[in-house]
Amino acid sequence: MAEQRKKVTLASLFKKVAEGKPITWLTCYDYPTAYFQDQAGIDMILVGDSLGMTMLGYDSTLPVTMDDMVRHTAAVRRGAPTAWVIGDMPYMSYQPSVETAVRNAGRFMAETGCDAIKLEGGAEMADRIHAIVNCGIPACGHLGLTPQSASALGGFRLQGKSALQAKKIIDDAKALEEAGAYAILLELVPDRVCKLITERAKGCIIMSLGSGLDAHGQLLIYHDAFGLYPRFKPRMAKVFGNAGKVIQEGLAAYVKEVTEKTFPQPENYFGMPDEEYEELLNLLK
Ligand code: KIV
């Protein structure tokens, strides 16, 4: 068996930041993919509520429940024992009250073995972050395009284009850092805004999803990066390997070989010794 790397911890993540080494982060929702990501040395894994779209086929993340998240996060933890695994708080698992937020963050930690949680929103969610962190649970913020509020934000589009909107995102980042967030994800904000926030962060890891190079690291949605989401590929994603194409070609070959009876071959099944077969035929007489 391959030698396992050391467990990624908050200390090792901050060490990377101090050394100027970018942090790698991908979403993941299942055991085998988690295994591959852990083996590849991915620093952080986000079990995102994007699983509502990538795995469950919904049009948005809103129908995803805590039960969905707990099941997938526990599977990812089993596949990725050494990565820093973050459970994404689904819609309405933290918005209603501080207590709801703390209880669901605690459920994530207790039932899945994840290392941290993430929730969406700015200064208005700082009290949730503060309370969760006070319970000893590392919490990551999420600003810019926050998919759970896509309707209010006018769709899945760039956020913080105007100076006023950008100032609000910068103020929100400060509020989340002051509340104790160990990290903040900036999704789809202009690169200059991301740079300003990263430069201003004192003890907080700033991560970029479609927000440029100047953060402490990068996140991509796994399904976008590996051609596994058939509906569309967002501009911010790059396809690093087209697994979707490989799977489709394999499926076509399977259908062809079964149809033409070229699969299975003798090496794919088991025979029976002649004497046993003769006896069986006698027994059936
Ligand atoms: O659910 C998720 O994968 C996310 C990303 C869009 C950042 O929150």
Side-chain angles (χ1 to χ4, degrees), residues 239-260:
V239 178
F240 284 85
N242 201 335
K245 187 163 173 272
V246 171
I247 290 169
Q248 268 189 329
E249 287 168 1
L251 288 169
Y254 176 72
V255 168
K256 183 169 182 290
E257 289 192 24
V258 170
T259 307
E260 293 175 352

Side-chain angles (χ1 to χ4, degrees), residues 10 13-14 25 44 46 84-89 94 101-102 105-106 108-109 114-121 125-142 173 175-185 203-206:
L10 268 186
L13 291 170
F14 278 103
W25 196 11
M44 305 203 296
L46 173 65
W84 179 260
V85 172
I86 300 154
D88 200 12
M89 305 275 289
Y94 58 97
V102 168
F108 248 130
M109 302 296 285
C114 68
D115 299 297
I117 60 86
K118 172 175 89 57
L119 57 82
E120 299 181 8
M125 289 297 149
D127 56 355
R128 272 68 162 176
I129 295 269
H130 183 70
I132 289 168
V133 171
N134 268 353
C135 292
I137 301 172
C140 174
H142 180 169
L176 294 182
E177 178 168 1
E178 283 173 0
Y182 80 92
I184 298 171
L185 169 66
C204 190
I205 301 170
I206 306 300

Side-chain angles (χ1 to χ4, degrees), residues 186 190-199 206-208 211-218:
L186 299 177
D191 59 347
R192 288 171 152 179
V193 177
C194 176
K195 185 167 193 281
L196 286 170
I197 292 173
T198 307
E199 285 166 355
I206 306 300
M207 298 296 297
S208 157
S211 303
L213 260 178
D214 291 307
H216 297 125
Q218 300 292 325

